[in-house]
C-alpha cells in the first residue's frame, strides 16, 4: 500500500468542535506592552552592568559571549519535531556511547542556540505535544489519557500565530496528534501522511514530497508557521544498511514489534539489547541524513534566511536504563531529556550553548515574542526571548513534569542539578531526591529516599512542585474525550500505544517490582 495523505483545512474537526461549543473568540493576551518593557529594561540593565565589569581571565563560563541578534521583525517559523529522540543518544548533546548519530544537527548547531538541558512536560506523545502547543503542563491542558482530546477551550501556538496573520501548516505521521484529538486547532492545512498497514508510520523519506509541497505552497513573503512531525526513530526500529552501526552482529533480533514484545518490561541478553540500541541509533543517524537533504532544498528556496528554525522532540526512550524499553510511565532523564536547537533567521556567526534547564512549555511564548506576536494570557510557560536575543538572564523557574496515564501517576521537579520524583500510587508511592551530577543515571540506591530520611531540600521542592501543579490544574478546561476508529486504533497499536503493546500500554504492569537497569529487583516504591 502506498503512502497517502489526508489534509484537513480550517473547517475540519477542531473547527467543528469550536463552532459547536462557542462563538469565535478573541485570544486572551497578557499585558504585552508592560511585559516587554520590563524585559527590555531588565536586559538593558544587565547588559550595562556586564559592560562595566572588568574582564576576568579566570572565568569558568565556556559559553560564547552573547550579543544582540539582529533578526527580521516579521520572521516565519519552521518547527521540526523528531519523535522519541532521546538527548543522550544524539551526538548534538553528547552520545552516552560516543557514537556520531547527529552530524547534521551538530553542523546546524554551529550557527544556532542549543539548549543542553531541555525537558518535555510528559514522556509520551499526546500530552507532551499538547504541552508544547498550549504552553501548559498536562495538568493544565487536561490531554493526558489515551482517549483525551485537546480541548477547544485552550489556546494553541498555531491559533495565536494564525490570529496574528500567519499562514499555518502541519505535516505529520503520528496518529496521536490527529485532528480528531484536537491538534489541528489553528492550522490552515493539517496533513496526516500514512504508510499503513505496510508500516506503522511513514518514514522521513516518504515525508519528503509532502513537506516540500507544503513549503512550495507557502507565500514566503508573508509570515508562516510550518510544523513537521517525524516519527523516526520511534519503534518499530527500522534497519537501514547505510546507517547500521553493526551490520555483522551475531544477534538474531530485529527492530520489529514482534521481536521487541518479549522485552518490553525485561532487558534481553546483552547482545540482543545492544542490537536493539544499534537499530535505534541507526534510525537517528538515518533521519539526521534526511534532514540534511531537506534543509539543502529549503536553503535553495531561501526559506532559512527568513525563518526561525526549532528542532526538538516530544520525549525520549527507555532502552532498559531502568525498567522499560519504550516510553511513557516514567519521568527519568532518558524519558524526558530531549534535544532543543533554535536557529535564528540566516543563522548565527557562532553557535551558543545554554546550560540552564528549560521546559518545552516555554518554547511557544518564546517564539511568539521572537516574531512580535501577542502571547496568550492562558500560557503557563515563560519567554526566553531576552536570553536568546540579548543574553539576558533566563527565567528563574524549575522544570516540572507530569505523567498521569493508565495506572501511572508520577511527578518530577528539576531545579538546577536536583531532581525530585514523586510516585503518587497509593500502594507503592515513593519519593526520591536525585543529584544529577553525582548520580546522572538516577540509580535509586544512590538517591535520597525521602520517606525514610528527612530532607529540607526535598520538602521545599515538593511544596514548590505541588503548588505549580495546583495552579496549573486551576485553569484546566472541561474534559473532552474521543474514540479511535478501527483503522486509527490499528495504527496506534502498530506504534505500541494500545493496551498491552509496550510501556505505553494500558495493561502494562505498575513500575513497582520491575527490574532496574543494574539488574537489581525493584524495591516496591515504583521509582526504579
Amino acid at each position: 500500500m502506498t503512502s497517502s495523505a489526508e489534509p484537513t483545512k480550517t473547517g475540519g474537526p477542531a473547527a467543528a468542535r469550536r463552532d459547536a461549543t462557542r462563538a469565535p473568540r478573541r485570544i486572551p493576551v497578557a499585558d504585552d506592552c508592560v511585559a516587554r518593557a520590563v524585559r527590555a529594561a531588565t536586559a538593558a540593565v544587565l547588559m550595562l552592568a556586564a559592560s562595566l565589569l572588568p574582564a576576568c581571565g579566570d572565568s569558568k563560563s565556556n559559553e560564547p559571549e552573547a550579543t544582540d541578534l539582529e533578526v527580521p521583525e516579521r520572521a516565519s517559523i519552521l518547527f521540526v519535531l523528531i519523535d522519541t529522540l532521546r538527548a543522550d543518544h544524539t551526538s548534538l548533546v553528547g552520545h552516552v556511547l560516543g557514537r556520531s548519530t547527529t552530524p547534521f544537527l551538530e553542523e546546524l548547531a554551529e550557527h544556532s542556540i542549543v539548549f543542553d538541558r531541555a525537558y518535555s512536560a510528559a514522556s509520551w506523545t499526546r500530552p507532551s505535544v499538547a504541552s508544547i502547543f498550549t504552553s501548559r503542563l498536562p495538568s493544565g491542558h487536561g490531554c493526558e489519557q489515551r482517549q483525551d482530546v485537546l480541548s477547544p477551550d485552550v489556546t494553541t501556538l498555531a491559533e495565536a500565530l494564525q490570529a496574528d496573520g500567519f499562514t499555518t501548516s502541519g505535516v505529520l505521521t503520528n496518529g496521536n496528534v490527529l485532528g480528531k484529538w484536537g491538534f489541528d486547532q489553528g492550522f490552515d492545512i493539517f496533513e496526516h501522511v500514512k504508510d499503513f498497514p505496510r508500516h506503522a508510520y511513514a518514514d522521513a523519506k516518504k515525508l519528503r514530497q509532502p513537506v516540500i509541497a507544503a513549503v512550495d505552497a507557502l507565500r514566503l513573503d508573508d509570515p508562516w508557521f510550518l510544523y513537521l512531525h517525524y516519527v523516526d526513530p520511534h519503534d518499530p526500529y527500522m534497519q537501514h544498511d547505510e546507517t547500521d552501526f553493526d551490520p555483522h552482529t551475531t544477534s538474531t533480533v530485529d527492530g520489529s514489534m514482534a521481536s521487541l514484545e518479549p522485552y518490553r518490561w525485561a532487558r534481553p541478553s546483552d547482545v540482543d539489547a545492544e542490537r536493539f540500541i544499534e537499530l535505534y541509533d541507526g534510525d537517528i543517524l538515518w533521519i539526521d541524513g534526511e534532514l540534511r537533504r531537506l534543509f539543502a532544498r529549503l536553503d535553495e528556496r531561501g526559506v532559512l534566511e527568513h525563518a526561525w528554525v526549532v528542532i526538538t522532540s516530544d520525549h525520549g526512550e527507555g532502552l532498559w536504563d531502568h525498567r522499560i524499553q519504550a516510553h511513557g510511565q516514567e519521568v527519568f532523564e532518558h524519558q524526558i531529556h530531549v534535544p532543543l536547537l533554535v536557529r535564528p533567521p540566516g543563522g548565527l556567526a557562532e553557535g551558543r550553548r545554554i546550560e540552564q534547564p528549560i521546559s518545552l512549555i516555554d518554547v511557544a511564548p518564546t517564539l511568539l515574542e521572537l516574531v512580535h506576536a501577542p502571547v496568550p494570557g492562558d500560557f503557563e510557560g515563560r519567554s526566553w526571548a531576552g536570553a536568546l536575543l540579548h543574553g539576558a538572564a533566563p527565567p528563574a523557574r524549575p522544570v516540572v513534569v507530569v505523567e498521569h496515564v493508565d495506572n501511572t501517576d508520577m511527578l518530577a521537579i528539576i531545579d538546577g542539578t536536583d531532581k525530585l520524583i514523586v510516585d503518587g500510587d497509593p500502594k507503592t508511592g515513593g519519593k526520591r531526591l536525585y543529584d544529577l551530577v553525582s548520580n546522572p543515571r538516577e540509580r535509586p540506591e544512590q538517591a535520597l529516599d525521602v520517606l525514610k530520611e528527612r530532607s529540607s531540600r526535598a520538602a521545599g521542592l515538593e511544596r514548590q512542585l505541588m503548588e505549580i501543579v495546583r495552579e496549573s490544574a486551576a485553569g484546566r478546561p472541561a474534559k473532552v474525550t474521543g474514540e479511535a476508529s478501527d483503522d486509527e486504533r490499528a495504527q496506534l497499536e502498530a506504534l505500541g500505544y494500545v493496551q498491552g503493546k509496550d510501556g505505553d500500554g494500558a495493561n502494562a504492569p505498575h513500575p513497582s517490582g520491575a527490574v532496574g537497569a543494574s539488574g537489581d529487583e525493584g524495591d516496591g516504591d515504583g521509582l526504579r
Side-chain angles (χ1 to χ4, degrees):
M1 181 176 179
T2 58
S3 62
S4 63
E6 297 179 341
T8 61
K9 306 234 178 211
T10 305
R17 285 192 301 273
R18 286 194 297 272
D19 293 342
T21 57
R22 59 165 193 211
R25 61 185 169 89
R26 180 179 180 275
I27 294 175
V29 177
D31 192 344
D32 293 297
C33 294
V34 174
R36 289 178 185 174
V38 170
R39 282 192 290 268
T42 302
V45 170
L46 290 171
M47 292 174 63
L48 177 61
S51 68
L52 296 176
L53 290 174
C56 298
D58 60 348
S59 173
K60 295 181 180 180
S61 174
N62 57 6
E63 296 183 14
E65 182 178 345
T67 57
D68 280 11
L69 298 182
E70 295 184 4
V71 295
E73 181 172 327
R74 203 59 170 162
S76 297
I77 301 171
L78 173 62
F79 193 105
V80 180
L81 191 148
I82 306 171
D83 211 296
T84 322
L85 185 57
R86 176 174 160 167
D88 69 353
H89 275 252
T90 70
S91 44
L92 171 71
V93 176
H95 197 291
V96 66
L97 300 176
R99 289 179 178 144
S100 177
T101 53
T102 51
F104 172 65
L105 294 187
E106 290 175 74
E107 293 174 19
L108 201 63
E110 294 175 2
H111 305 286
S112 306
I113 301 162
V114 176
F115 292 82
D116 286 327
R117 297 184 63 197
Y119 290 94
S120 60
S123 64
W124 70 286
T125 298
R126 195 174 301 166
S128 177
V129 176
S131 287
I132 294 171
F133 279 175
T134 66
S135 185
R136 292 184 177 204
L137 293 172
S139 50
H141 59 63
C143 190
E144 301 178 281
Q145 296 286 349
R146 308 291 171 191
Q147 305 304 318
D148 286 348
V149 174
L150 184 60
S151 170
D153 293 324
V154 298
T155 308
T156 68
L157 172 62
E159 285 180 305
L161 290 168
Q162 188 183 61
D164 202 51
F166 280 65
T167 298
T168 54
S169 303
V171 180
L172 59 139
T173 183
N174 189 319
N176 265 307
V177 291
L178 300 181
K180 75 171 302 169
W181 304 118
F183 287 84
D184 62 347
Q185 297 181 47
F187 283 96
D188 299 310
I189 297 175
F190 199 69
E191 184 176 356
H192 178 212
V193 182
K194 298 189 296 184
D195 193 21
F196 186 80
R198 185 172 64 173
H199 295 297
Y201 58 85
D203 64 27
K205 185 175 181 180
K206 293 182 177 67
L207 283 183
R208 285 182 194 170
Q209 184 176 352
V211 168
I212 292 301
V215 171
D216 288 342
L218 297 170
R219 296 181 58 181
L220 297 183
D221 291 336
D222 296 329
W224 49 266
F225 170 62
L226 178 58
Y227 159 58
L228 307 179
H229 189 143
Y230 294 90
V231 175
D232 332 62
H234 196 293
D235 61 10
Y237 308 135
M238 305 296 183
Q239 193 269 336
H240 304 281
D241 290 340
E242 64 271 33
T243 61
D244 194 334
F245 281 96
D246 187 7
H248 306 295
T249 180
T250 59
S251 173
T252 59
V253 301
D254 57 24
S256 67
M257 287 300 189
S259 187
L260 285 165
E261 189 65 29
Y263 308 113
R264 292 301 192 184
W265 295 86
R267 182 182 174 90
S269 66
D270 286 347
V271 66
D272 287 346
E274 289 169 5
R275 183 55 182 162
F276 285 128
I277 293 171
E278 287 163 358
L279 292 170
Y280 173 75
D281 285 344
D283 277 355
I284 296 174
L285 179 57
W286 189 79
I287 193 173
D288 183 82
E290 285 296 314
L291 288 179
R292 182 188 296 278
R293 296 180 185 92
L294 171 65
F295 274 63
R297 298 181 69 174
L298 297 180
D299 201 28
E300 291 171 359
R301 289 162 167 77
V303 171
L304 303 179
E305 289 300 311
H306 305 286
W308 287 91
V309 176
V310 177
I311 300 178
T312 190
S313 184
D314 51 350
H315 55 75
E317 190 79 322
L319 302 177
W320 304 284
D321 269 20
H322 281 82
R323 58 191 181 90
I324 68 174
Q325 165 264 321
H327 49 270
Q329 302 194 2
E330 285 186 345
V331 292
F332 293 110
E333 294 288 290
H334 50 262
Q335 299 268 5
I336 59 172
H337 181 200
V338 296
L340 176 59
L341 178 150
V342 179
R343 181 185 184 272
L348 293 172
E350 182 180 2
R352 289 170 50 201
R353 295 266 176 172
I354 295 180
E355 297 178 355
Q356 291 93 334
I358 180 175
S359 170
L360 292 189
I361 69 170
D362 294 335
V363 171
T366 299
L367 289 174
L368 290 172
E369 185 170 355
L370 289 173
V371 299
H372 300 271
V375 178
D378 57 355
F379 276 16
E380 295 176 14
R382 298 181 183 178
S383 173
W384 287 59
L388 271 59
L389 293 174
H390 315 297
R397 189 178 61 162
V399 168
V400 169
V401 182
V402 179
E403 190 68 27
H404 178 57
V405 62
D406 302 331
N407 55 359
T408 297
D409 185 9
M410 280 189 167
L411 302 172
I413 182 169
I414 301 164
D415 187 17
T417 60
D418 290 333
K419 179 177 180 180
L420 179 71
I421 296 180
V422 177
D423 181 357
D425 185 272
K427 295 182 179 179
T428 62
K431 302 173 187 177
R432 277 203 169 98
L433 179 64
Y434 294 84
D435 180 344
L436 296 177
V437 174
S438 63
N439 187 12
R441 297 190 68 186
E442 295 166 291
R443 299 297 193 193
E445 64 275 10
Q446 298 175 22
L448 179 68
D449 187 337
V450 180
L451 295 183
K452 297 178 180 178
E453 186 175 350
R454 290 186 178 181
S455 164
S456 59
R457 175 60 170 160
L461 286 174
E462 185 174 7
R463 283 194 299 271
Q464 198 172 10
L465 171 62
M466 297 308 174
E467 181 181 354
I468 291 172
V469 172
R470 276 195 301 270
E471 290 179 355
S472 172
R476 184 185 182 113
K479 180 176 282 292
V480 182
T481 60
E483 188 70 35
S485 67
D486 290 344
D487 183 63
E488 290 162 347
R489 182 179 175 85
Q491 292 178 61
L492 291 174
E493 183 173 309
L495 284 171
Y497 281 106
V498 178
Q499 294 186 6
K501 283 294 177 181
D502 71 0
D504 288 318
N507 289 337
H510 189 272
S512 62
V515 176
S518 61
D520 298 328
E521 293 185 358
D523 57 8
D525 65 1
L527 294 180
R528 289 202 70 83

